[in-house]
Amino acid sequence: MKLRHQHIRENITGYLFILPQFLLFLLFVVYPILEGIRLSLYRVDYQNETFVGLSNYTTLFQDPVFFKSIFNTVIFVVFIVLLTVIFSLFVASSIFDKNAKYVSFIRGSYYIPVMVSMVVMSMVWSFLLNPANGLISYLTSQVGSGHVNLLGNKATVMPVIIFVTFATNVGQAIILYIAAMIGVPKDLFEAAEVDGASRIKVIFKILIPLVKPTTIYITIINIIAVLKIFVVIQLLTGGGPNNASVTMMYYLYNNAFKYNQIGVASAVGVIMFIITLLLSVPQLRAMFKDK
């Protein structure tokens, strides 16, 4: 007990410094999670809350649109994360050791869309993809293919949204990979050069293994970001056509703000929270295990 009190006295300054952040974390992260779990067990109207147990979850699992939203969300997560990691690795490994001005130009070019609001980017893409007077539809009509409605076609709406989201957010991953690769010890590259290793072998045997923590971090933040994808869906498709692009977050929004089903929306949020944990915890364990 005496050692414990001594430890607290020695670290009291550090505890005081983290106390404000810890309180904010409890207030804005932990409390909303607990409140969401509680609300998912109630039927909520404007004035009353009625305990219904797991009835909201039963309602969800009886709704085919909910299963469609899960399927679409999984597709978004898999493809956007894979595209982001693979493309970012390719770009970063191609330029990280080039001239500093060239590297800065590439980083800035890819990062510009990240700095622009997702709302603005979605409006730009909405204009480009407009089937009546959008630029893409105009170009296809000029080559004899007629006007195209990529967002109104169930076969093309998902690939289009995946591409728009990927193109908007990939710059951040490229920046992180370049920074990680620049930090790799130079003597490893010199030893590989002496041994006559090709650039492909250097990338796969040195770079990719050493930037694994960055890969895990990028994977986790992209999983979380894609699970929360909403603005693109709202502005481009509204979940259509025929729920072909509805996601869990958009389904949550509809239940909470259109249909006033707060309990059902909270149940969706709890399920999303569980999915996020299931996808992120193994990645974090792998990262800490390597360390």
Side-chain angles (χ1 to χ4, degrees):
M1 183 66 69
K2 183 177 180 180
L3 290 175
R4 183 179 179 183
H5 287 305
Q6 182 180 357
H7 174 77
I8 293 175
R9 284 198 303 270
E10 291 175 351
N11 296 278
I12 186 65
T13 303
Y15 292 141
L16 290 175
F17 270 112
I18 68 172
L19 180 62
Q21 289 79 8
F22 182 71
L23 293 176
L24 290 175
F25 175 77
L26 292 177
L27 179 62
F28 293 107
V29 178
V30 176
Y31 171 72
I33 291 173
L34 297 178
E35 182 67 6
I37 295 173
R38 186 188 72 83
L39 288 176
S40 70
L41 303 176
Y42 285 79
R43 180 181 294 111
V44 184
D45 57 32
Y46 291 108
Q47 295 181 343
N48 301 310
E49 295 181 359
T50 305
F51 181 78
V52 294
L54 299 178
S55 176
N56 291 323
Y57 294 92
T58 303
T59 301
L60 286 179
F61 289 109
Q62 291 176 345
D63 186 358
V65 178
F66 176 65
F67 286 100
K68 181 66 174 177
S69 72
I70 294 177
F71 175 78
N72 289 343
T73 302
V74 170
I75 294 296
F76 282 136
V77 168
V78 171
F79 280 93
I80 292 175
V81 170
L82 284 178
L83 284 172
T84 300
V85 170
I86 293 173
F87 184 79
S88 301
L89 273 174
F90 171 75
V91 173
S93 61
S94 300
I95 68 169
F96 79 98
D97 57 349
K98 298 296 189 292
N99 180 272
K101 291 184 178 180
Y102 175 72
V103 174
S104 298
F105 173 76
I106 296 297
R107 286 191 300 187
S109 300
Y110 278 107
Y111 199 70
I112 287 175
V114 180
M115 296 187 296
V116 179
S117 167
M118 181 62 77
V119 174
V120 175
M121 291 299 297
S122 299
M123 293 177 65
V124 171
W125 280 104
S126 177
F127 166 73
L128 293 175
L129 295 166
N130 189 299
N133 52 18
L135 178 61
I136 294 175
S137 183
Y138 170 77
L139 293 176
T140 57
S141 66
Q142 292 300 304
V143 298
S145 299
H147 292 280
V148 294
N149 186 5
L150 297 177
L151 296 177
N153 188 332
K154 291 197 292 186
T156 57
V157 64
M158 291 280 284
V160 169
I161 294 176
I162 288 172
F163 174 78
V164 170
T165 307
F166 158 75
T168 304
N169 297 323
V170 71
Q172 183 181 17
I174 292 175
I175 295 291
L176 293 172
Y177 269 131
I178 291 176
M181 291 178 183
I182 291 176
V184 174
K186 299 295 187 292
D187 54 349
L188 295 177
F189 300 118
E190 294 171 359
E193 185 178 355
V194 171
D195 292 339
S198 65
R199 188 172 182 86
I200 297 296
K201 286 188 176 180
V202 170
I203 292 172
F204 283 94
K205 299 295 184 180
I206 297 177
L207 281 179
I208 292 181
L210 290 179
V211 300
K212 183 179 178 181
T214 303
T215 301
I216 294 174
Y217 174 74
I218 289 172
T219 300
I220 292 173
I221 63 172
N222 274 277
I223 288 173
I224 296 172
V226 175
L227 284 173
K228 297 189 299 181
I229 186 172
F230 171 77
V231 173
V232 176
I233 305 297
Q234 172 76 348
L235 295 180
L236 292 186
T237 68
N242 193 25
N243 296 316
S245 61
V246 67
T247 62
M248 295 183 71
M249 179 57 75
Y250 192 75
Y251 183 86
L252 184 155
Y253 167 83
N254 282 340
N255 277 280
F257 299 106
K258 287 187 177 180
Y259 312 136
N260 295 318
Q261 298 289 331
I262 304 298
V264 174
S266 298
V268 178
V270 171
I271 293 173
M272 291 177 62
F273 175 70
I274 294 173
I275 292 174
T276 303
L277 287 180
L278 292 176
L279 293 175
S280 301
V281 169
Q283 304 287 340
L284 290 171
R285 289 183 61 185
M287 183 169 65
F288 288 121
K289 184 178 180 180
D290 290 341
K291 291 183 177 180

